[in-house]
């Protein structure tokens, strides 16, 4: 919902101040129409129904993977495409992977979103509506976690991302169960460090040396590795929460034994926790490391005191897995 527009409409009608909060409570709880909002005067319900859509996004397509992961292709009112993914786990967690931008201005060479045209930053309403479209489908079984790991670089749109985070608890998602993933955009990491919300920080690292990292992620030229890691340590120092490091496993590129050692040397296990990501195929020239290579890399890290997990790949058969979001309509 466009909350600024809501405030304006209510003010124009001379409605009391508490009305906006009333409407928001209904929306945050997954109401599907204004008609449901039984504590609003009927005339106001009708007026809002005629003037303000309940969601800023419209659903353009949807796919369900064999593991139950759902990918929604959504469109903003000005026609920008974005994708959102819902992953349900056996332990009851329901994680929504949200996009912070339509497309991405960064050009990480292995990522499908990086190859699509950058549209624009998403508003806080558009970010929240990605979660809400799942809340509405199954009232009472709201999402439990939100990860900013969909399209875009959240730290390049941090005002809107943080404004959305402020309201996530109204949707049932606490700040501790919200994670923001970044390429290492230092000003954003610094701001996250100083907010009052206990949000989790995740860092897309992918290489422990500057030359290779710059090749994979050109943004490394602007914010080199040592500075990024220092910013993450400062976050940990202040927030006392581990930083999750994402490391996508590319065959013959960043999966050698010496590279595991360099990674183990670079990261203090008291501060960082490594998540190895099996590479999901895109149109890029890279091939993913095989299962054995990933296991060997993990063992090498652990031998050197750095615990690591391997990310469970979800939704790969519908291009919903990490790095595969490109806003394409599903092939019929
Ligand atoms: N821009 C932010 C948020 C996106 S998170 C960031 O980069 O952190 C998406 C994650 O998936 C990032 O860690 C990204 O590097 C990773 N990724 C990109 N392409 C991938 C692919 N093809 N396979 C697996 N992971 C990929």
């Amino acid at each position: 919902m466009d909350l600024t527009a809501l405030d304006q409409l209510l003010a124009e009608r001379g409605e009391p101040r508490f009305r906006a909060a009333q409407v928001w409570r209904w929306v945050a709880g997954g109401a599907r129409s204004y008609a449901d909002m039984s504590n609003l005067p009927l005339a106001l319900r009708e007026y809002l129904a005629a003037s303000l859509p309940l969601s800023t996004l419209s659903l353009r397509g949807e796919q369900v993977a064999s593991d139950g992961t759902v990918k929604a292709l959504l469109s903003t009112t000005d026609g920008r495409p974005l994708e959102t993914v819902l992953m349900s786990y056996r332990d009851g967690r329901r994680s929504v992977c949200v996009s912070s931008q339509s497309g991405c201005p960064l050009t990480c060479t292995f990522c499908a979103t990086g190859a699509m045209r950058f549209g624009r930053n998403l508003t806080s309403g558009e970010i929240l509506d990605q979660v809400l479209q799942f809340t509405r489908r199954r009232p009472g079984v709201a999402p439990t976690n939100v990860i900013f790991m969909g399209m875009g670089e959240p730290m390049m749109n941090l005002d809107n991302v943080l404004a959305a985070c402020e309201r996530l608890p109204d949707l049932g998602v606490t700040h501790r169960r919200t994670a923001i993933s970044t390429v290492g955009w230092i000003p954003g990491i610094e701001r996250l460090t100083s907010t009052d919300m206990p949000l989790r920080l995740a860092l897309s690292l992918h290489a422990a040396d500057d030359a290779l990292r710059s090749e994979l992620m050109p943004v490394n030229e602007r914010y080199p590795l040592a500075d990024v890691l220092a910013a993450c340590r400062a976050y940990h120092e202040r927030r006392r929460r581990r930083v999750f490091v994402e490391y996508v496993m590319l065959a013959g590129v960043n999966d050698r034994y010496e590279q595991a050692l360099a990674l183990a040397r670079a990261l203090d296990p008291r501060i960082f926790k490594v998540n190895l990501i099996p590479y999901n195929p895109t149109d890029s020239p890279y091939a993913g490391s095989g299962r054995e290579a990933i296991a060997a890399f993990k063992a090498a890290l652990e031998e050197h005191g750095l615990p690591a997990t391997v990310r469970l790949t979800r939704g790969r058969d519908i291009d919903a897995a990490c790095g595969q979001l490109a806003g394409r309509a599903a092939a019929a």
Side-chain angles (χ1 to χ4, degrees), residues 21 23 40 78 87 107 131 148 155 185 191 199 201-202 246-247 263 272-273 276 283 287-288 315 321 331:
V23 173
L40 299 188
D78 58 340
M87 293 162 286
T107 51
V131 183
F148 284 86
M155 300 283 188
W185 195 263
R191 252 186 89 191
L199 301 162
L201 172 64
E246 298 155 280
Y247 193 98
L263 184 60
F272 296 98
K273 184 175 171 298
L276 301 174
D283 293 337

Side-chain angles (χ1 to χ4, degrees), residues 104 106 108 110-112 148-154 181-183 202-204 206 217 246 248 277-282 311 322-324:
C104 185
L106 301 176
C108 301
F110 48 84
C111 177
F148 284 86
M149 295 190 186
M151 286 181 180
E153 169 52 41
S181 178
T182 178
V183 294
L203 171 69
S204 294
H206 308 325
M217 308 175 71
E246 298 155 280
V248 63
I277 311 181
Y279 183 65
N280 299 304
T282 68
R311 180 174 291 176
C322 305
Q324 292 186 312

Side-chain angles (χ1 to χ4, degrees), residues 14-276:
E15 293 289 337
R17 284 192 170 271
F18 60 83
R19 288 284 183 234
Q22 270 181 325
V23 173
W24 170 243
R25 258 196 303 282
W26 282 105
V27 171
R32 294 182 192 174
S33 75
Y34 289 103
D36 295 345
M37 304 184 184
S38 53
N39 57 353
L40 299 188
L42 194 58
L44 179 59
R45 283 185 246 167
E46 283 168 358
Y47 172 74
L48 288 173
S51 340
L52 184 68
L54 218 49
S55 177
T56 57
L57 302 174
S58 46
L59 186 64
R60 286 293 149 83
E62 175 169 294
Q63 286 169 282
V64 182
S66 50
D67 60 20
T69 298
V70 181
K71 178 171 82 168
L73 172 61
L74 301 158
S75 170
T76 62
T77 50
D78 58 340
R80 306 290 186 177
L82 60 119
E83 292 180 317
T84 308
V85 177
L86 172 71
M87 293 162 286
S88 303
Y89 298 90
R90 269 195 223 122
D91 62 7
R93 257 182 316 139
R94 291 161 53 78
S95 287
V96 182
C97 179
V98 296
S99 295
S100 53
Q101 300 179 311
S102 171
C104 185
L106 301 176
T107 51
C108 301
T109 52
F110 48 84
C111 177
T113 309
M116 80 182 261
R117 203 166 61 90
F118 175 61
R120 64 164 171 79
N121 282 339
L122 298 178
T123 64
S124 58
E126 288 164 345
I127 293 169
L128 290 164
D129 279 332
Q130 294 174 58
V131 183
L132 284 170
Q133 49 109 21
F134 288 120
T135 313
R136 266 181 224 118
R137 291 179 205 200
R138 293 184 61 193
V141 211
T144 57
N145 294 61
V146 166
I147 51 181
F148 284 86
M149 295 190 186
M151 286 181 180
E153 169 52 41
M155 300 283 188
M156 294 176 83
N157 182 21
L158 202 52
D159 286 337
N160 292 334
V161 165
L162 292 179
C165 288
E166 302 235 354
R167 289 183 181 262
L168 280 176
D170 301 337
L171 276 58
V173 178
T174 64
H175 292 141
R176 296 191 168 274
R177 286 195 252 110
T178 303
I180 300 183
S181 178
T182 178
V183 294
W185 195 263
I186 293 177
I189 298 174
E190 291 172 347
R191 252 186 89 191
L192 188 63
T193 303
S194 60
T195 71
D196 290 332
M197 294 179 271
L199 301 162
R200 162 92 58 198
L201 172 64
L203 171 69
S204 294
L205 189 64
H206 308 325
D209 71 276
D210 276 309
L212 177 59
R213 191 163 191 270
S214 293
E215 202 179 291
L216 299 174
M217 308 175 71
V219 68
N220 188 67
E221 301 275 341
R222 178 158 178 179
Y223 297 119
L225 204 54
D227 299 348
V228 171
L229 293 178
C232 291
R233 285 193 295 268
Y235 164 92
H236 177 267
E237 174 89 3
R238 162 101 201 263
R239 320 259 21 166
R240 292 286 145 199
R241 294 195 82 195
R242 288 271 189 90
V243 177
F244 286 0
V245 166
E246 298 155 280
Y247 193 98
V248 63
M249 299 294 300
L250 304 171
V253 175
N254 67 355
D255 65 351
R256 288 196 304 277
Y257 182 73
E258 314 83 73
Q259 289 167 317
L261 296 199
L263 184 60
R265 266 198 304 275
L267 302 180
D268 180 337
R270 288 168 300 187
I271 301 177
F272 296 98
K273 184 175 171 298
V274 176
N275 203 207
L276 301 174

Side-chain angles (χ1 to χ4, degrees), residues 286-324:
Y286 299 103
S289 313
R291 199 189 283 248
E292 279 157 34
I294 297 177
F297 197 87
K298 176 177 186 306
L301 291 178
E302 287 175 347
E303 252 165 50
H304 291 83
L306 186 65
T309 50
V310 179
R311 180 174 291 176
L312 197 67
T313 298
R314 304 277 312 220
R316 196 188 262 180
D317 54 337
I318 56 164
D319 284 350
C322 305
Q324 292 186 312

